[in-house]
Amino acid sequence: MGTIVRYVAVLALSSVLCVSTTAQAHIGGHSGTANPTSEGFTPAYEFGAFESFDSNDNDSGYAAWQIAKPISSLQKGYEYILNNSEIQETNDIGWFVRARIRVATLDDAPDYSVSVLYSTGLKRFDLVLGSDAAGDPIAKLVDFFTGDGQNATGPTFTLNGGGSGFHVYEMKYDPGCNGIDLFIDGVERMSNFGGNVVFVPSPRLDFGAFGQEGTGDGRYNEVSIALAPEPSAAALLAMGAIPLLKRCRRLG
């Protein structure tokens, strides 16, 4: 590719990046101390888990909705069910899920007690959280489970030194690999996760304390789904910008 052609390709790519970022569209989500039922969510699995809210959770400066299950049999969560138009847009453009969460317990194995789940209708992408003895968050992407969220398996990542405060978790769909990349506080930590196909519901975004295993306490400042802010692989290929495409990598 000649210098002029490369220059034109870069200009075209910059244009697509700007348009794509500008065109990023919020679909639905929860924020701060707002009751999720006022934001388009419906209650799910109302089995006695504790709820509260705090305008300044743990003096962090973040407002949060709390969902806690001190006993493994308790559950409570919320789900935002996508309409047909939103489903079509996420299929055509791509999607990403963003959540700012604090795991309020220490030395707590990652399970569905603190979790964010997104289903495309064909696959589900489940992020479950826990913490180590120092309070550093542990993230797991679930590739299989049994029963009601039991025996969940999947790759994990511990944010060593991250501390027990709020952290931002982003599951970004990667069309080139037909999976997601997980970013924690803006840094890619796990790549090319293909999701799982166990009990896949219709397209929806869920968060809360689920499952019949484990205990936990999650503080949810933000949980949202939006259309992907990055250009699709097809758009990059159409511009001849193949060297700029991200190669699929192994998890970890």
Side-chain angles (χ1 to χ4, degrees):
M1 183 184 292
T3 301
I4 294 178
V5 175
R6 282 198 299 269
Y7 178 70
V8 171
V10 170
L11 286 178
L13 176 60
S14 299
S15 175
V16 170
L17 282 168
C18 292
V19 170
S20 180
T21 301
T22 302
Q24 174 186 342
H26 175 82
I27 294 175
H30 161 71
S31 178
T33 59
N35 189 317
T37 59
S38 70
E39 302 171 300
F41 287 84
T42 56
Y45 298 91
E46 298 186 85
F47 302 138
F50 175 78
E51 283 187 286
S52 186
F53 58 88
D54 195 329
S55 60
N56 185 16
D57 186 80
N58 201 38
D59 294 324
S60 64
Y62 289 107
W65 191 267
Q66 176 189 13
I67 307 178
K69 51 179 292 188
I71 302 172
S72 61
S73 60
L74 303 181
Q75 296 190 55
K76 178 62 182 287
Y78 293 91
E79 58 186 19
Y80 179 93
I81 299 175
L82 277 67
N83 61 38
N84 290 337
S85 175
E86 292 166 341
I87 293 170
Q88 188 63 54
E89 287 179 325
T90 56
N91 288 340
D92 291 345
I93 300 174
W95 55 270
F96 78 102
V97 168
R98 173 186 168 92
R100 180 181 284 110
I101 302 171
R102 183 172 79 89
V103 179
T105 49
L106 302 181
D107 200 17
D108 188 0
D111 54 47
Y112 283 93
S113 300
V114 182
S115 55
V116 176
L117 333 168
Y118 178 65
S119 171
T120 67
L122 298 175
K123 290 182 178 181
R124 54 187 293 166
F125 297 87
D126 299 357
L127 170 66
V128 301
L129 301 174
S131 64
D132 64 14
D136 296 339
I138 305 171
K140 175 186 286 187
L141 294 173
V142 178
D143 56 21
F144 183 78
F145 62 88
T146 61
D148 188 0
Q150 297 159 303
N151 305 308
T153 62
T156 63
F157 178 84
T158 301
L159 189 63
N160 293 316
S164 59
F166 281 89
H167 296 277
V168 176
Y169 304 88
E170 295 170 298
M171 294 189 287
K172 296 185 177 182
Y173 181 66
D174 181 350
C177 302
N178 194 28
I180 65 164
D181 301 326
L182 176 68
F183 291 75
I184 303 178
D185 295 336
V187 179
E188 187 172 345
R189 298 300 189 178
M190 288 190 273
S191 308
N192 312 322
F193 175 70
N196 73 72
V197 293
V198 181
F199 305 121
V200 180
S202 61
R204 65 192 62 199
L205 172 67
D206 290 13
F207 73 94
F210 301 111
Q212 289 286 321
E213 183 175 83
T215 59
D217 184 346
R219 312 296 173 92
Y220 299 85
N221 166 260
E222 175 189 354
V223 183
S224 65
I225 180 169
L227 299 181
E230 297 176 346
S232 67
L236 292 176
L237 285 170
M239 292 188 299
I242 295 175
L244 297 177
L245 283 173
K246 183 181 71 175
R247 294 183 179 180
C248 293
R249 301 174 300 281
R250 294 182 180 179
L251 282 168

